[in-house]
Amino acid sequence: MSEKRTYVVLLGVPGAGKGTQAKLLEQSTGLPQISTGDIFRYNLKNQTELGKLAKSYMDRGDLVPDDVTIRMVEDRLQQPDCSCGAIMDGFPRNLIQAAAFDQMTAPYGGVHVTPLIQVDDDETIRRITGRRSCRTCGAVYHVLYNPPKVEGVCDVDGGELYQRDDDKEDTVRNRLFVYYKQTSPLIGYYFAKGLLREIDGAQSIEDVHSALMAVVTS
Ligand code: AP5
């Protein structure tokens, strides 16, 4: 086996706070956040072939095909900043992707831990509809729960804050449907491996982060 690496897989419904927490974990642990949603959005913005392909799926709230997504993650994990592991945000998202991720990470000791950030559906909708993201650096805010210092402007790099296209109500409902149908089976998958840790996502952003740090560093 090659040297051990730390792969953390964040699970939770859309809007549970995976992206918010992945960025904080990145700062605290030094492991890079790998957000498949952010990579697709970057490609969409730059109108690459990958972005054009992903657009129709993302607009509907469906999953981008597995072969494309898995290849994209394989490439990303080979970058030098992933040499100690990664914080996975939005991948794996179904059992096929989970099996592929097991194969990718097996030489490095496999998945370290799978925190499940738990939030109820009403709170999820409130969080998604109030979310604003930075066009340039991807930092995530909420108009009420986590507002920027200046309305519409990112605290990190001064970029413009916008509302994601897939945060419209119909698309959000389909994203939730897709989550329960395709992603929630991963809860049982990782539970059976002894890797699942439940985290109360209704707490403040800081308290969720502390709870996550406790399970990631244990
Ligand atoms: P993706 O970008 O992964 O979206 P998602 O999983 O739906 O998750 P979100 O980004 O909506 O939510 P989050 O849990 O990160 O919450 P956040 O931290 O922003 O995927 C988008 C699309 O890309 C998919 O639909 C699919 O088409 C495609 N895709 C991506 N990965 C794929 C894959 N592996 N395979 C195939 N297709 C894929 O927080 C939400 C809001 O709540 C924010 O406003 C935040 O400020 C606020 N907030 C967070 N925590 C708290 C808290 N504790 N208290 C109060 N407010 C909080």
Side-chain angles (χ1 to χ4, degrees):
M1 192 166 80
S2 312
E3 83 283 11
K4 185 139 175 48
R5 296 182 180 180
T6 304
Y7 294 103
V8 176
V9 173
L10 295 181
L11 288 181
V13 289
K18 302 181 297 296
T20 302
Q21 294 299 332
K23 284 188 169 55
L24 293 174
L25 286 175
E26 182 176 65
Q27 288 164 18
S28 302
T29 64
L31 296 170
Q33 169 197 20
I34 297 188
S35 160
T36 39
D38 282 353
I39 301 175
F40 286 133
R41 279 184 287 279
Y42 174 85
N43 279 277
L44 215 83
K45 191 172 106 186
N46 291 290
Q47 299 197 355
T48 66
E49 286 307 312
L50 176 62
K52 287 177 199 160
L53 184 146
K55 183 174 172 18
S56 59
Y57 297 95
M58 295 178 79
D59 283 350
R60 289 195 301 269
D62 288 338
L63 297 187
V64 178
D66 289 331
D67 55 340
V68 175
T69 307
I70 289 167
R71 212 173 326 123
M72 181 177 90
V73 171
E74 269 168 352
D75 288 348
R76 180 65 187 86
L77 286 177
Q78 279 163 24
Q79 301 300 312
D81 64 327
C82 299
S83 62
C84 294
I87 309 290
M88 305 305 295
D89 164 15
F91 183 96
R93 223 174 174 101
N94 59 26
L95 292 169
I96 291 173
Q97 295 183 9
F101 193 58
D102 281 349
Q103 278 192 353
M104 285 179 226
T105 57
Y108 310 105
V111 174
H112 173 61
V113 70
T114 311
L116 168 64
I117 305 176
Q118 290 191 301
V119 173
D120 67 44
D121 285 353
D122 289 343
E123 177 65 7
T124 285
I125 304 274
R126 273 194 292 277
R127 287 188 184 182
I128 289 184
T129 47
R131 170 168 49 200
R132 299 293 181 270
S133 309
C134 176
R135 264 193 207 288
T136 41
C137 75
V140 178
Y141 300 87
H142 190 282
V143 288
L144 298 176
Y145 302 148
N146 183 26
K149 293 193 181 90
V150 178
E151 195 185 327
V153 180
C154 178
D155 294 348
V156 180
D157 69 353
E160 181 199 357
L161 301 187
Y162 79 109
Q163 186 164 27
R164 277 170 40 179
D165 285 344
D166 63 348
D167 282 352
K168 287 176 292 195
E169 196 175 328
D170 279 358
T171 313
V172 170
R173 286 194 194 289
N174 191 44
R175 282 165 57 203
L176 283 171
F177 175 75
V178 168
Y179 171 83
Y180 286 116
K181 197 162 174 220
Q182 301 194 46
T183 308
S184 66
L186 296 184
I187 296 171
Y189 181 81
Y190 287 116
F191 176 80
K193 289 174 177 281
L195 296 174
L196 195 77
R197 303 286 182 276
E198 293 183 29
I199 304 286
D200 177 7
Q203 306 173 87
S204 69
I205 291 174
E206 295 73 23
D207 287 348
V208 175
H209 177 59
S210 302
L212 279 170
M213 280 302 285
V215 303
V216 167
T217 55
S218 66

